Amino acid sequence: LKNSLAQTAGTGVEKPRTPNQIVGDYLERMMPSISSVLPKHVTADRMSRIALNVIRSNPKLLECDVNSLMGAVLESAKLGLEPGIKGQSYLLPFKNNKTNRMEAQFIVGYRGLIDLVRRSGQVSTLEARTVYENDEFEYEYGLNDKLVHKPTMDEKGLPVAYYAIAKMKDGGYSFLVMSHKEAEKYRDKYAKAKNFGPWKDEFDSMARKSVLRQLIKYLPTSV
């Protein structure tokens, strides 16, 4: 954005546009594209306004290649997931070492994954939880799967595991467990931004999202 061309003023003198203005202009031009892909429960105006607020609140996003930034916004619009503090999705800046420039990446959040599965209409309950070292926790896989989690009422201790569980409307259920070390390995393998952003600031939330993402592979989701 910093390298974008200056805007010519009425006086004939070139007046540099700020990154905020450039992003605002691009989003305004993208409104028809955003409207064409949005699910019915979100309006283009709302999505554009939320995306602009998220971008303006993160200076690193304003340094990103504008095409990658608008692409990330469009991906968020396609899924009808609002970026930002609700945790449905995130717009994250990262350095592309091949091009030596900053680019934006769209990432589905924990709440966004739950929303997508619930839209399928076949899942009645979907949740992910954190297990702490002082909790009573037992599980096993096999012909008679079993999961028991009794959270302590005293000092919780450190997080030791995460699990996701889904109950289907037909009475079936499925669950998946991931240890804290497995969550760290998952982050190291798949996260482009593990030293800043959600993985650094909200590790437990991202770990729950990761185990939920793995479980969702076996569940019906919204188109």
Side-chain angles (χ1 to χ4, degrees), residues 151-181:
T152 180
M153 298 297 291
D154 298 319
E155 181 65 32
K156 292 181 178 293
L158 297 174
V160 294
Y162 309 90
Y163 67 90
I165 185 167
K167 294 181 181 179
M168 313 300 291
K169 288 188 176 180
D170 62 6
Y173 68 90
S174 182
F175 68 85
L176 188 66
V177 179
M178 179 183 289
S179 70
H180 191 277
K181 288 186 177 180

Side-chain angles (χ1 to χ4, degrees), residues 123-138:
V123 179
S124 61
T125 302
L126 180 68
E127 59 185 354
R129 295 184 180 276
T130 302
V131 181
Y132 297 91
E133 59 184 347
N134 292 327
D135 292 348
E136 181 181 335
F137 184 67
E138 179 184 358

Side-chain angles (χ1 to χ4, degrees), residues 15-16 22 31 57 64 137 141 144 146 157 188-189 197 207:
K15 182 180 179 181
I22 295 171
M31 286 291 280
S57 66
C64 289
F137 184 67
Y141 297 120
N144 296 297
K146 176 183 178 182
D188 295 343
K189 183 176 182 179

Side-chain angles (χ1 to χ4, degrees), residues 22-87:
I22 295 171
V23 169
D25 290 345
Y26 267 89
L27 281 174
E28 185 174 351
R29 289 201 294 269
M30 280 183 61
M31 286 291 280
S33 297
I34 292 175
S35 298
S36 67
V37 299
L38 273 174
K40 295 180 180 180
H41 68 281
V42 186
T43 65
D45 181 67
R46 176 178 173 82
M47 178 62 71
S48 178
R49 185 173 65 253
I50 291 174
L52 186 58
N53 288 337
V54 169
I55 294 168
R56 284 176 172 173
S57 66
N58 188 341
K60 288 293 183 181
L61 284 173
L62 291 172
E63 297 176 12
C64 289
D65 170 72
V66 70
N67 290 321
S68 72
L69 189 57
M70 295 301 104
V73 172
L74 195 59
E75 286 299 315
S76 187
K78 285 179 182 178
L79 294 178
L81 300 178
E82 299 177 357
I85 59 175
K86 286 186 176 181

